[in-house]
Amino acid sequence: MITMEPRKPCNLCGIKPYFFDDGSYYKTGSERDLEGGGWTSLMVGAEPDGTIFLSAMGDDESDHYHPKFCPECGRQLR
């Protein structure tokens, strides 16, 4: 019988939501830049429930995309 060790999350899928001391969600503290340009950027972050999201930023923010697998290490997220 083969047993597999649980994989540790990488820096990308290991992102945790950030909350203030009073328990309110702080979106900006829960995001990281993946790639940035002069006018655009690609962000990764965590929703209040811990779900990982990708978001594109330009003049405005796009809707959040919730991938099924981590784009960095391939770990299943859902």
Side-chain angles (χ1 to χ4, degrees):
M1 175 187 238
I2 298 174
T3 59
M4 296 181 64
E5 295 288 324
R7 288 175 40 185
K8 292 187 178 183
C10 70
N11 290 334
L12 191 67
C13 62
I15 293 175
K16 303 291 182 207
Y18 182 83
F19 295 95
F20 288 117
D21 290 336
D22 65 0
S24 59
Y25 173 67
Y26 181 55
K27 180 180 165 203
T28 305
S30 302
E31 292 181 336
R32 293 185 195 157
D33 273 331
L34 286 180
E35 190 63 41
W39 300 98
T40 60
S41 66
L42 179 63
M43 308 285 287
V44 64
E47 302 283 6
D49 64 358
T51 305
I52 303 298
F53 68 84
L54 297 172
S55 178
M57 302 283 287
D59 288 338
D60 200 5
E61 182 177 5
S62 70
D63 288 337
H64 290 179
Y65 170 70
H66 300 97
K68 294 178 183 165
F69 297 91
C70 175
E72 185 74 22
C73 69
R75 179 176 167 254
Q76 187 170 1
L77 299 174
R78 297 189 214 172

